[in-house]
């Protein structure tokens, strides 16, 4: 009897320990207000299919990468390779070496100044606005040797552009439309430069300390590739 009890206890300890060792950590996943319900639900599904518990943490755009650096969040729904290239703890996940999606960003200027910007690709003497905390956009501006001007949102940027306190706004196509309407500015008062200033490749980001989770996450991302591509317009 004693041997049977001892054996049962041993089995419990072995298999109980094994189960605990296999328990997946809960990943704190950073999202922003602009990452809508459909996108959030899709990535919850990706994590569920990978068997990984996940908790969404909504943060202002300006704080996402600093919170990732501080370790208060473990993953970022998506960020560009330009934003994480100096972060060795950031592991990028896409579809193999392929990003989840790519975006071109363009300069937006007052229409009557368009010819001035078309004459030369040298933007070093100009000031260019970007959203505070978007390090990828900031780096793109600095690569042009231009003055990077952080703004809290595109509404502020539009007002600064119209009042001529800045020369250009860096944004994806269509990003300024609603803000022009809200500020009662004719849409054709602002023109988008024809050539992009930069092209960014976006990946799902997870802290490298969770790299053991990468294979199952990559499989789940690949399984949902068509839906992800559709959501991101790919």
């Amino acid at each position: 009897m004693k041997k049977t009890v001892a054996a049962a206890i041993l089995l419990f300890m072995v298999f109980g320990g094994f189960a605990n060792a296999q328990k997946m950590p809960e990943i704190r996943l950073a999202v922003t207000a602009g990452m809508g319900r459909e996108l959030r639900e899709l990535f919850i599904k990706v994590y569920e299919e990978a068997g990984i518990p996940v908790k969404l943490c909504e943060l202002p755009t300006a704080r996402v990468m600093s919170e990732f650096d501080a370790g208060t969040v473990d993953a970022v729904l998506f960020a560009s390779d330009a934003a994480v290239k100096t972060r060795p703890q950031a592991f990028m996940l896409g579809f193999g070496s392929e990003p989840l999606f790519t975006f071109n960003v363009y300069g937006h200027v007052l229409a009557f100044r368009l010819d001035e910007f078309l004459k030369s690709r040298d933007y070093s003497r100009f000031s260019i606005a970007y959203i505070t905390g978007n390090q990828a956009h900031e780096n793109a501006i600095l690569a042009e040797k231009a003055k990077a001007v952080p703004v809290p949102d595109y509404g502020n940027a539009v007002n600064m552009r119209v009042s001529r306190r800045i020369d250009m706004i860096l944004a994806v196509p269509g990003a300024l439309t609603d803000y022009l309407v809200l500020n009662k500015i004719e849409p054709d008062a602002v023109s988008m430069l024809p050539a992009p200033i930069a092209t960014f490749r976006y990946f799902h980001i997870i802290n490298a300390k969770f790299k053991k989770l990468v294979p199952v996450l990559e499989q789940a991302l690949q399984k949902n590739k068509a839906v992800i591509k559709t959501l991101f317009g790919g």
Side-chain angles (χ1 to χ4, degrees):
M1 179 66 178
K2 288 183 179 180
K3 289 182 178 180
T4 303
V5 172
I9 292 173
L10 180 61
L11 285 171
F12 176 79
M13 291 175 65
V14 169
F15 286 101
F18 178 76
N20 287 334
Q22 294 298 306
K23 186 178 179 181
M24 291 288 192
E26 181 180 68
I27 298 299
R28 298 164 296 179
L29 175 58
V31 298
T32 66
M35 296 174 181
R37 179 182 59 81
E38 193 172 6
L39 188 57
R40 295 181 188 206
E41 289 179 352
L42 173 59
F43 272 79
I44 289 173
K45 178 173 177 278
V46 165
Y47 271 80
E48 286 177 346
E49 290 178 355
I52 304 169
V54 64
K55 176 184 177 182
L56 298 187
C57 303
E58 184 170 316
L59 296 168
T61 301
R63 281 177 46 202
V64 168
M65 295 314 297
S66 61
E67 296 287 343
F68 180 79
D69 291 340
T72 50
V73 294
D74 308 306
V76 178
L77 199 146
F78 62 79
S80 74
D81 50 358
V84 302
K85 66 181 180 181
T86 58
R87 292 179 162 91
Q89 82 278 26
F91 200 101
M92 300 187 297
L93 289 86
F95 308 120
S97 60
E98 179 189 347
L100 298 179
F101 64 97
T102 60
F103 263 142
N104 289 328
V105 288
Y106 296 80
H108 294 71
V109 301
L110 290 178
F112 75 87
R113 291 187 64 188
L114 181 60
D115 287 343
E116 177 185 352
F117 291 95
L118 294 178
K119 287 177 182 175
S120 173
R121 186 63 173 75
D122 181 6
Y123 301 143
S124 59
R125 61 190 178 88
F126 297 122
S127 57
I128 305 177
Y130 71 99
I131 300 300
T132 302
N134 192 325
Q135 294 180 326
H137 286 198
E138 181 184 13
N139 290 341
I141 294 168
L142 296 176
E144 297 291 333
K145 297 182 171 57
K147 179 182 178 182
V149 181
V151 293
D153 55 53
Y154 285 127
N156 280 267
V158 166
N159 286 328
M160 291 175 71
R161 178 69 290 263
V162 172
S163 62
R164 305 184 190 183
R165 286 180 285 161
I166 56 172
D167 299 297
M168 186 187 300
I169 301 169
L170 189 64
V172 298
L176 306 185
T177 303
D178 290 344
Y179 295 96
L180 293 172
V181 172
L182 287 171
N183 286 278
K184 299 180 180 179
I185 300 168
E186 290 295 326
D188 58 3
V190 174
S191 294
M192 186 178 78
L193 299 179
I197 287 180
T199 298
F200 297 116
R201 292 155 42 89
Y202 285 84
F203 295 82
H204 182 62
I205 307 300
I206 191 167
N207 193 299
K209 69 182 180 181
F210 298 107
K211 64 182 180 181
K212 67 180 181 181
L213 305 180
V214 167
V216 289
L217 270 175
E218 286 183 329
Q219 288 176 11
L221 285 169
Q222 190 67 42
K223 182 178 177 181
N224 290 277
K225 181 176 180 178
V227 182
I228 293 170
K229 287 289 188 181
T230 299
L231 276 180
F232 288 122

